[in-house]
Amino acid sequence: MTKALYKKIIITIVMLFFSVIMIVPFLWMISASFKTPAEVFQYPIKWIPAHFMWDHHIKVWTGANSFVHYYLNSLKVALISTVGAVLLSALAAYGFSRIEFKGRNAMFMIYLSMMMVPPQVLFVPKFIMFDWAGIYNTHWALILPGMFTIFGVFMMRQFFLSVPYEISEAAFIDGAGHFRIFSRIILPMAKPSLATLAIIDFSWHWNDYENALVFLIDQKLYTVPLGLQNFILENTVDYNGMMAAATAGIIPMILVFLIGQRYIIQGVASAAVKG
């Protein structure tokens, strides 16, 4: 075997090793959701329960605090935020990459520097603003800020920079304006990057705990991450129920990834072509 083949085999083994390490916690979570409370802390770990307990999964969906409401709330917040974030990021990225105006690069660097500001610093200003606007304790307090993502603008801008300017110039000669060039030419070419951004942004909003904790009070508005708190009881923790709920919570993430996985590598690679 050649040296390149040896190198490829070694890299594959290393990646497989780290993949197994990363998937083990998820396997334990699924296993614990079918165990009895006594089996959860059994050591050495018994990966396959002696008897599969479906009661925990049934309780998650049919109990007093059914996860159906949390699921619907999370889907509402995540889907609307993701659609808005993808559209606004693409529009802003087009302006920063294809439209020449004075101070464009300086403005983009200032905009990009906002990524260094910790999100927790903005909780108090957001609280005051949302209370003034009347959207505190509503899903709009999560949706509206979620539509603006600095990372999304950066990612889409990098892809748009990789598109040859000759394409835009040819469209301008034919009489097309910026909106037509954006919607008819640039946007269809950006499908891999758009899909990658949608998957990343959906994951962020689906798993967002801090913003939901700060800006939502009414339990009927709770999302899935907040719904997991119902399994933290006064004197103990229902680990089996929590693991069953967490297992249910990752299903949309898996589905979204499976649907868009073929775009992820292509989208990330194309976004890294130009810096």
Side-chain angles (χ1 to χ4, degrees):
M1 291 189 291
T2 63
K3 185 178 179 180
L5 183 58
Y6 274 119
K7 184 178 179 180
K8 186 176 181 180
I9 293 174
I10 293 174
I11 293 175
T12 302
I13 293 174
V14 172
M15 295 299 293
L16 180 63
F17 172 75
F18 284 106
S19 300
V20 171
I21 291 177
M22 294 181 67
I23 202 173
V24 163
F26 292 98
L27 296 178
W28 183 88
M29 176 184 69
I30 297 172
S31 175
S33 68
F34 290 101
K35 292 179 178 179
T36 62
E39 289 178 316
V40 172
F41 298 102
Q42 193 176 42
Y43 188 81
I45 298 175
K46 191 175 182 181
W47 292 97
I48 302 177
H51 302 284
F52 283 84
M53 301 287 294
W54 291 93
D55 296 348
H56 309 299
H57 291 270
I58 296 174
K59 179 183 176 182
V60 167
W61 297 104
T62 62
N65 297 308
S66 173
F67 247 57
V68 173
H69 297 294
Y70 305 140
Y71 245 71
L72 294 177
N73 291 337
S74 285
L75 284 173
K76 172 186 174 183
V77 172
L79 288 176
I80 297 177
S81 299
T82 300
V83 172
V86 171
L87 178 60
L88 293 178
S89 296
L91 285 168
Y94 180 85
F96 280 125
S97 62
R98 316 297 291 191
I99 301 177
E100 295 286 347
F101 58 90
K102 188 175 181 179
R104 183 186 69 174
N105 293 333
M107 184 181 296
F108 179 73
M109 292 305 298
I110 294 173
Y111 181 74
L112 198 62
S113 67
M114 293 300 294
M115 292 184 69
M116 296 185 291
V117 178
Q120 294 79 7
V121 174
L122 303 177
F123 280 156
V124 173
K126 281 183 179 180
F127 175 83
I128 297 173
M129 185 184 302
F130 294 161
D131 187 56
W132 171 79
I135 63 173
Y136 179 71
N137 193 34
T138 69
H139 287 149
W140 289 110
L142 305 181
I143 293 173
L144 291 179
M147 289 183 176
F148 300 91
T149 163
I150 301 174
F151 169 78
V153 175
F154 170 75
M155 178 178 173
M156 295 307 303
R157 175 182 176 272
Q158 298 307 100
F159 174 81
F160 290 158
L161 287 175
S162 68
V163 178
Y165 276 90
E166 289 78 8
I167 296 177
S168 300
E169 292 174 356
F172 274 124
I173 293 173
D174 291 337
H178 281 297
F179 182 77
R180 177 171 293 183
I181 294 173
F182 170 75
S183 60
R184 299 289 182 86
I185 301 176
I186 303 297
L187 210 57
M189 297 175 62
K191 286 182 180 179
S193 293
L194 291 171
T196 303
L197 176 59
I199 293 172
I200 295 173
D201 203 67
F202 182 89
S203 304
W204 165 253
H205 293 298
W206 184 266
N207 295 313
D208 186 14
Y209 174 78
E210 286 185 336
N211 286 292
L213 179 65
V214 173
F215 301 122
L216 297 180
I217 299 176
D218 192 347
Q219 188 169 348
K220 292 186 295 185
L221 299 174
Y222 279 8
T223 55
V224 169
L226 288 183
L228 293 174
Q229 294 185 45
N230 293 329
F231 298 95
I232 303 177
L233 309 179
E234 185 175 353
N235 298 315
T236 185
V237 178
D238 183 3
Y239 289 103
N240 302 91
M242 183 179 289
M243 293 302 105
T247 301
I250 66 172
I251 293 176
M253 298 296 306
I254 295 175
L255 292 177
V256 168
F257 177 79
L258 291 177
I259 293 172
Q261 63 175 330
R262 66 192 183 97
Y263 293 108
I264 292 179
I265 297 177
Q266 186 179 354
V268 173
S270 60
V273 170
K274 248 188 177 180

